[in-house]
C-alpha cells in the first residue's frame, strides 16, 4: 500500500508506527468507544492499513516499531490469519466494525483494552507476552480456543454478550497461559468454556457475573489451575461445571450466589482440590454434586448447603468450621442418592481426626438409623431393638439403665410374692434380687432360677425377664463388637 493512498488519520498512524509512538484520537473528542460507529473520517482507520503495517511496515534504525492506536474506528476486517508479526499491538478504546480474524496468528503482545468489538476469532492464537482485554465490550462470540499465551490473560471488567448464539459466548477451551487468567468483574451472557484449559497461575473471577439460565454458565471440565480459582462474590445463573478439574490452591466460592433452581448449580465430580471454600453467601439454589472428588480442606458452612447434594465417594481430610454433628447431619440426609454409607464414614472420620469422639459417635448412630430404613420389616424391628437397648453400641449405658429398671421391677415383685420352691428341703434361701438376676442374665447362674417355680402372671413376668435379658445381652454384644471394630 502506497502512503499516498492514506487518509490524514491513517498517515498519522503510519508515521508513528516506525518509532513505536502512540496515536490517540480521543484528545478533545468523545471518548466512549461504544459510540464509535458515529465517528467520522478524522478518527477512522482501515483494517487493511493496520495489516500492512504489521506485516511490512516501515522501521526506523535504532527504534522499536509498534502499533499503538487509541480512540479509532477500524473499518473492514483486520485479517491476520496465520500471520506472524514481531511487533507489539495496542488497539485500545477502538471501535471495530467487523470481527477481527486472528486465527493461527503469532504476535508479540496484544492489547485491546476498552475496545468495542462485534466478536473475536482468535483460536490457536500465539501471544509471546500478555493478552489484555480489560474493559472490552464484545457483542458476539469470542473464540480463543487453543490459544497459547506466554504471559497473563487479562479480561477484568470485560463484557461478552452472545446469549442467543449456537456456540459458547466466551471460548477459552484448551487455552494455556504462563501466568494468571485475571478476570474480576467479568460479565458474560452466554456460556463460558474453559474445558481442558491449563492456567499456570490463578483464575480470578472475583465478582464475575455468568448468566445462562437453564444451561451451562461455566464449563470447565478438566481445567488445570496451578494456584487459586476464585469466584468470590460471583453470581452464576446456570450450571457451574467443574468435572475432573484440578485446583492446586483454593476453589473460593465465598459470598457467591450460585443459582440453577431446576438442576445442578455446582457439578464438581472427580475433582482434585486443595481447599474448597463455600461460605458466607446465600444458600445454593440447585443441587451440589461433589461425588468422587478429593479435597484436602472442605470449608463448608451448613447454611450454604442446598436442598439436595450428592456426596458419594467424596473424600476430605479436614472439615471446617467445627460444627456440632447435629448441624452437619441434615446435609447427609439430603443426598439425592439416598442412603450413602461413605458420606457418614467421612464425616465421622473428620470428627475423630480433631478428637471429637462424641460427635463421631452421633454420626455413626445416625448412619445406623438411616440404614435401618432400607431394611425389610424384620431387619427394622431388630434395629429398633438395638437402638432402644444400647443405641447400636454407641450408648452402652442405656443397657445398664434397662437392666437396673428390670432388676428393680422383678426384685420388688418377687419380694412381695415368693415363688414356690420345687424341692422345699433342698431349695436355698430365696433372694428376690438374685432370683431376678438369674432370669435376666443368660449365662451367669446364682442357683435361684432352677430352685423356684412361679405361677400365674408371676410366671409370665419371669418369661418376659428371660427374653428381655437375652435381647439385651445380644444387642450389647453386637453393639460392643461394632464399636470395637471401628477403633
Amino acid at each position: 500500500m502506497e502512503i499516498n493512498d492514506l487518509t490524514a488519520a491513517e498517515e498519522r498512524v503510519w508515521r508513528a508506527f516506525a518509532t513505536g509512538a502512540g496515536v490517540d484520537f480521543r484528545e478533545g473528542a468523545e471518548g466512549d468507544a461504544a459510540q464509535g460507529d458515529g465517528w467520522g473520517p478524522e478518527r477512522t482507520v482501515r483494517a487493511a492499513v493496520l495489516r500492512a503495517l504489521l506485516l511490512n511496515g516501515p522501521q526506523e534504525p535504532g527504534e522499536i516499531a509498534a502499533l499503538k492506536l487509541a480512540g479509532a474506528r477500524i473499518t473492514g476486517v483486520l485479517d491476520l490469519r496465520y500471520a506472524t508479526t514481531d511487533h507489539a499491538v495496542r488497539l485500545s478504546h477502538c471501535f471495530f466494525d467487523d470481527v477481527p480474524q486472528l486465527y493461527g496468528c503469532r504476535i508479540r503482545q496484544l492489547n485491546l483494552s476498552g475496545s468495542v468489538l462485534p466478536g473475536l476469532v482468535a483460536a490457536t492464537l500465539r501471544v509471546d507476552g500478555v493478552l489484555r482485554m480489560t474493559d472490552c465490550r464484545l457483542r458476539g462470540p469470542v473464540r480463543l480456543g487453543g490459544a497459547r499465551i506466554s504471559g497473563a490473560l487479562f479480561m477484568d471488567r470485560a463484557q461478552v454478550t452472545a446469549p442467543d448464539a449456537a456456540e459458547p459466548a466466551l471460548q477459552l477451551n484448551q487455552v494455556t497461559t504462563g501466568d494468571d487468567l485475571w478476570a474480576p468483574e467479568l460479565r458474560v451472557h452466554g456460556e463460558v468454556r474453559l474445558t481442558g484449559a491449563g492456567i499456570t497461575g490463578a483464575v480470578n473471577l472475583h465478582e464475575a457475573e455468568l448468566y445462562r439460565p437453564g444451561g451451562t454458565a461455566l464449563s470447565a471440565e478438566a481445567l488445570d489451575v496451578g494456584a487459586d480459582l476464585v469466584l468470590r462474590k460471583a453470581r452464576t445463573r446456570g450450571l457451574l461445571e467443574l468435572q475432573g478439574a484440578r485446583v492446586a490452591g483454593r476453589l473460593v466460592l465465598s459470598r457467591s450466589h450460585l443459582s440453577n433452581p431446576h438442576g445442578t448449580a455446582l457439578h464438581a465430580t472427580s475433582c482434585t482440590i486443595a481447599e474448597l471454600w463455600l461460605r458466607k453467601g446465600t444458600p445454593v439454589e440447585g443441587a451440589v454434586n461433589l461425588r468422587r472428588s478429593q479435597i484436602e480442606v472442605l470449608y463448608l458452612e451448613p447454611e450454604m448447603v442446598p436442598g439436595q447434594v450428592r456426596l458419594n465417594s467424596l473424600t476430605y481430610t479436614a472439615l471446617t468450621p467445627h460444627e456440632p454433628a447435629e448441624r452437619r447431619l441434615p446435609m447427609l440426609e439430603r443426598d439425592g442418592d439416598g442412603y450413602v454409607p461413605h458420606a457418614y464414614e467421612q464425616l465421622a472420620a473428620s470428627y475423630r481426626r480433631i478428637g471429637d469422639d462424641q460427635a463421631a459417635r452421633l454420626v455413626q448412630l445416625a448412619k445406623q438409623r438411616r440404614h435401618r430404613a432400607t431394611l425389610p420389616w424384620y431387619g427394622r424391628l431388630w434395629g429398633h431393638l438395638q437402638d432402644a437397648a444400647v443405641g447400636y453400641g454407641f450408648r452402652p449405658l442405656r443397657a445398664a439403665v434397662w437392666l437396673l429398671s428390670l432388676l428393680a421391677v422383678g426384685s420388688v415383685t418377687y419380694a412381695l410374692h415368693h415363688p414356690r420352691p420345687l424341692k422345699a428341703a433342698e431349695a436355698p434361701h430365696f433372694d428376690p434380687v438374685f432370683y431376678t438376676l438369674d432370669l435376666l442374665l443368660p449365662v451367669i447362674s446364682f442357683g435361684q432360677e432352677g430352685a423356684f417355680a412361679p405361677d400365674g402372671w408371676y410366671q409370665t413376668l419371669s418369661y418376659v425377664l428371660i427374653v428381655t435379658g437375652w435381647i439385651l445381652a445380644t444387642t450389647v454384644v453386637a453393639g460392643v463388637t461394632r464399636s470395637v471394630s471401628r477403633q
Side-chain angles (χ1 to χ4, degrees):
M1 176 176 293
E2 297 293 335
I3 194 168
N4 294 332
D5 297 330
L6 303 178
T7 65
E10 292 169 346
E11 183 175 351
R12 183 179 170 189
V13 175
W14 188 279
R15 295 187 183 280
F17 175 83
T19 60
V23 176
D24 192 344
F25 290 115
R26 295 175 298 170
E27 298 172 359
E30 175 61 45
D32 187 2
Q35 308 300 321
D37 56 348
W39 293 343
E42 72 283 358
R43 299 181 64 174
T44 300
V45 178
R46 287 170 292 170
V49 174
L50 303 182
R51 183 178 188 274
L53 281 172
L54 292 173
L55 298 183
N56 194 28
Q59 298 191 44
E60 290 283 343
E63 299 290 345
I64 300 175
L67 178 58
K68 298 178 182 178
L69 176 60
R73 177 182 181 181
I74 299 173
T75 60
V77 177
L78 180 58
D79 189 350
L80 292 171
R81 286 175 291 183
Y82 308 109
T84 298
T85 177
D86 294 328
H87 308 296
V89 178
R90 186 179 71 198
L91 300 172
S92 59
H93 303 281
C94 292
F95 181 90
F96 289 76
D97 280 358
D98 296 290
V99 177
Q101 300 289 327
L102 306 181
Y103 183 92
C105 174
R106 181 165 186 173
I107 198 166
R108 177 67 57 85
Q109 184 164 306
L110 179 59
N111 187 340
L112 298 172
S113 296
S115 293
V116 176
L117 303 91
L120 178 64
V121 176
T124 70
L125 171 73
R126 289 281 302 275
V127 181
D128 294 333
V130 170
L131 172 55
R132 191 178 295 274
M133 299 176 69
T134 299
D135 293 315
C136 272
R137 284 164 284 181
L138 299 117
R139 298 167 178 172
V142 177
R143 304 183 183 96
L144 279 166
R148 301 290 183 267
I149 303 168
S150 298
L153 169 57
F154 291 94
M155 297 193 72
D156 37 321
R157 299 181 301 279
Q159 300 177 26
V160 184
T161 305
D164 301 322
E167 58 183 311
L170 178 55
Q171 301 172 34
L172 299 173
N173 44 297
Q174 309 301 328
V175 162
T176 62
T177 70
D179 206 328
D180 298 337
L181 168 53
W182 199 260
E185 300 183 53
L186 174 69
R187 305 287 184 267
V188 181
H189 281 229
E191 180 182 346
V192 177
R193 181 167 292 177
L194 269 167
T195 305
I199 309 299
T200 302
V203 176
N204 188 341
L205 293 170
H206 175 72
E207 293 188 348
E209 290 186 7
L210 311 180
Y211 189 82
R212 192 166 183 249
T216 301
L218 174 62
S219 178
E221 297 99 325
L223 171 67
D224 192 343
V225 182
D228 296 338
L229 172 52
V230 178
L231 281 145
R232 186 185 294 109
K233 295 185 179 181
R235 299 180 63 87
T236 63
R237 186 66 183 271
L239 171 63
L240 185 59
E241 175 63 79
L242 294 170
Q243 181 177 7
R246 188 191 73 86
V247 181
R250 300 173 299 162
L251 170 54
V252 181
L253 297 169
S254 303
R255 303 182 186 275
S256 294
H257 181 66
L258 311 182
S259 176
N260 193 24
H262 304 296
T264 299
L266 174 61
H267 187 255
T269 60
S270 304
C271 294
T272 302
I273 303 171
E275 298 183 21
L276 171 56
W277 289 31
L278 192 57
R279 57 188 291 267
K280 294 189 180 301
T282 57
V284 177
E285 295 181 14
V288 170
N289 191 340
L290 300 176
R291 288 186 294 186
R292 301 181 302 279
S293 288
Q294 300 178 24
I295 302 172
E296 287 296 318
V297 179
L298 178 57
Y299 200 123
L300 177 62
E301 293 182 344
E303 295 80 9
M304 294 290 291
V305 179
Q308 186 178 101
V309 296
R310 295 185 183 273
L311 306 175
N312 197 7
S313 299
L314 167 67
T315 60
Y316 48 87
T317 302
L319 178 63
T320 59
H322 180 65
E323 295 278 358
E326 293 85 355
R327 282 175 51 78
R328 295 290 188 189
L329 285 170
M331 173 179 68
L332 308 187
E333 295 167 2
R334 300 172 194 168
D335 201 302
D337 293 326
Y339 169 60
V340 180
H342 183 269
Y344 287 89
E345 292 295 333
Q346 275 293 299
L347 182 57
S350 71
Y351 279 121
R352 281 195 294 268
R353 276 191 286 269
I354 61 174
D356 194 345
D357 294 331
Q358 174 62 22
R361 286 192 293 270
L362 287 176
V363 174
Q364 293 285 5
L365 178 57
K367 174 191 172 185
Q368 295 301 324
R369 288 172 174 170
R370 184 79 183 277
H371 175 61
R372 183 174 66 208
T374 67
L375 300 175
W377 69 268
Y378 48 85
R380 292 197 299 273
L381 177 59
W382 177 241
H384 280 295
L385 288 173
Q386 292 188 78
D387 195 359
V390 290
Y392 285 100
F394 299 105
R395 293 178 177 174
L397 290 179
R398 185 178 292 180
V401 173
W402 277 105
L403 285 171
L404 290 174
S405 300
L406 293 170
L407 178 61
V409 170
S411 299
V412 171
T413 301
Y414 291 118
L416 296 175
H417 188 279
H418 290 197
R420 61 181 178 81
L422 293 176
K423 296 179 181 180
E426 301 177 5
H429 174 73
F430 179 76
D431 188 311
V433 175
F434 283 95
Y435 179 72
T436 305
L437 284 174
D438 251 354
L439 296 174
L440 285 172
L441 303 178
V443 178
I444 301 173
S445 175
F446 296 101
Q448 293 280 321
E449 179 183 359
F452 299 91
D455 52 15
W457 75 272
Y458 296 100
Q459 186 179 36
T460 303
L461 176 60
S462 70
Y463 295 157
V464 171
L465 291 174
I466 291 171
V467 172
T468 306
W470 274 103
I471 292 174
L472 282 172
T474 305
T475 54
V476 166
V477 171
V480 170
T481 301
R482 183 183 299 112
S483 182
V484 171
S485 67
R486 289 189 176 89
Q487 301 306 314

